[in-house]
Amino acid sequence: MENFILGFFDFVGNLNFDMLGTFLSFVLVIFWLVLIGWVWIDSGERTSKKSIRITYLLLVIILNIPGLIIYLIIRPSETIEEIYWADLERRYLKFETSELGDCPKCGSQLFPGFVFCTNCGFEIKKKCPSCGMLINKDHKHCEYCGTQVRERAVGEEQYPNAQVMEQQVLASKEHATQTVESKRTKYKTGSSFAVKLGSGILALLDTTKTKLNSKTKAVEIEQVIVNKDSEQTNKGKKKKKNKKKKRR
Ligand SMILES: [Zn+2]
Ligand SMILES: [Zn+2]
């Protein structure tokens, strides 16, 4: 009787273990298939090139989860739609805010329609010699009659291609950084009270948590580099501003 019961438990134990193994491998196969399907759909939102999508797919088919991690690292960071809408939004906002800005001379805020700075009298727009309309001082041609009003570098006259657009995106990023981090800034700075408090606490804990300390040091170095960059960009501010206006 005892032997029979022990045998029965052995049988149940073996059976459950086998079933568990089968069940687990079944779940793994399903997971693998879902993974492959997801990578195919996700890559389709990021690139239209079939060959690249198939490469991503092979990565996950062969390497499974490590392949997925590699895919997540190397896939394009934005979907095609995100790129499209971000670019459209950027250009639209640029148009909308083209008359908003600060006086190049005294820095007071300008509003749409201003011809002179209300604070220092700096001339913001000038009359077109041909049609007499008020035009942007940096435009090459009058926007109302097309008369050429100033010379411009030949390189900037080409029709915007992907490279030019990328440069524009970079330029607006630089402009954003420069605007936000400059000393005359009216914007809040990137480092909030919480960041300052956090780095203060980390500085106190430097004896015990050397790892964390080295991280903040790296951040500090980054900040120094950013500051240097903004100093340099400030030096070339006038030049760049002119360039940007020309691009419009
Ligand atoms: Zn002014
Ligand atoms: Zn004109």
Side-chain angles (χ1 to χ4, degrees), residues 115-152:
V115 181
F116 294 94
C117 171
T118 51
N119 187 47
C120 71
F122 184 80
E123 189 186 38
I124 298 146
K125 289 183 173 181
K126 65 173 184 184
K127 271 188 178 176
C128 168
S130 174
C131 68
M133 295 289 277
L134 286 165
I135 58 166
N136 191 310
K137 276 163 87 181
D138 298 315
H139 287 179
K140 184 185 175 186
H141 291 275
C142 168
E143 55 258 50
Y144 300 101
C145 71
T147 310
Q148 184 166 351
V149 282
R150 59 177 292 154
E151 288 295 318
R152 195 166 68 160

Side-chain angles (χ1 to χ4, degrees), residues 12-248:
V12 169
N14 284 335
L15 190 77
N16 278 349
F17 185 74
D18 282 349
M19 273 173 72
L20 201 71
T22 321
F23 181 69
L24 271 178
S25 45
F26 179 71
V27 166
L28 272 174
V29 168
I30 294 283
F31 177 71
W32 185 59
L33 288 173
V34 168
L35 217 63
I36 291 164
W38 179 80
V39 166
W40 182 252
I41 293 164
D42 185 70
S43 60
E45 283 178 2
R46 286 158 205 280
T47 179
S48 57
K49 284 172 187 149
K50 279 252 163 73
S51 55
I52 295 173
R53 290 177 72 188
I54 288 165
T55 313
Y56 290 148
L57 213 60
L58 287 173
L59 205 66
V60 181
I61 290 171
I62 297 163
L63 296 175
N64 208 345
I65 291 170
L68 176 74
I69 292 165
I70 294 169
Y71 167 71
L72 289 174
I73 293 166
I74 65 170
R75 71 175 181 175
S77 57
E78 289 168 303
T79 64
I80 292 166
E81 275 211 15
E82 276 169 357
I83 293 169
Y84 175 78
W85 286 111
D87 191 59
L88 196 65
E89 197 179 8
R90 190 180 58 79
R91 288 194 292 160
Y92 178 70
L93 288 176
K94 220 172 159 184
F95 156 73
E96 275 279 272
T97 60
S98 60
E99 290 210 345
L100 296 177
D102 299 332
C103 169
K105 198 177 167 194
C106 72
S108 71
Q109 195 183 341
L110 304 173
F111 292 99
F114 275 21
V115 181
F116 294 94
C117 171
T118 51
N119 187 47
C120 71
F122 184 80
E123 189 186 38
I124 298 146
K125 289 183 173 181
K126 65 173 184 184
K127 271 188 178 176
C128 168
S130 174
C131 68
M133 295 289 277
L134 286 165
I135 58 166
N136 191 310
K137 276 163 87 181
D138 298 315
H139 287 179
K140 184 185 175 186
H141 291 275
C142 168
E143 55 258 50
Y144 300 101
C145 71
T147 310
Q148 184 166 351
V149 282
R150 59 177 292 154
E151 288 295 318
R152 195 166 68 160
V154 183
E156 289 174 20
E157 283 178 38
Q158 64 194 11
Y159 188 80
N161 54 23
Q163 211 182 349
V164 171
M165 287 312 289
E166 224 163 79
Q167 279 171 0
Q168 280 191 16
V169 172
L170 203 71
S172 29
K173 256 187 199 170
E174 271 175 23
H175 178 72
T177 315
Q178 191 184 309
T179 311
V180 172
E181 291 184 352
S182 75
K183 279 172 189 165
R184 294 197 326 195
T185 187
K186 298 181 198 73
Y187 298 85
K188 59 180 189 244
T189 53
S191 51
S192 62
F193 173 72
V195 173
K196 282 172 195 161
L197 185 74
S199 42
I201 291 167
L202 289 176
L204 283 173
L205 293 174
D206 65 344
T207 43
T208 46
K209 292 187 177 178
T210 45
K211 242 188 181 179
L212 282 172
N213 192 35
S214 66
K215 262 186 190 171
T216 52
K217 265 184 185 166
V219 170
E220 273 168 21
I221 289 165
E222 267 177 29
Q223 278 175 347
V224 168
I225 291 165
V226 167
N227 284 342
K228 270 186 183 169
D229 278 356
S230 67
E231 268 173 32
Q232 277 170 358
T233 44
N234 275 343
K235 275 176 199 164
K237 204 175 181 178
K238 255 197 168 173
K239 261 188 180 176
K240 271 193 175 170
K241 255 193 176 171
N242 284 339
K243 265 187 188 171
K244 250 164 245 154
K245 278 176 185 166
K246 278 177 207 165
R247 278 197 195 121
R248 273 183 217 149

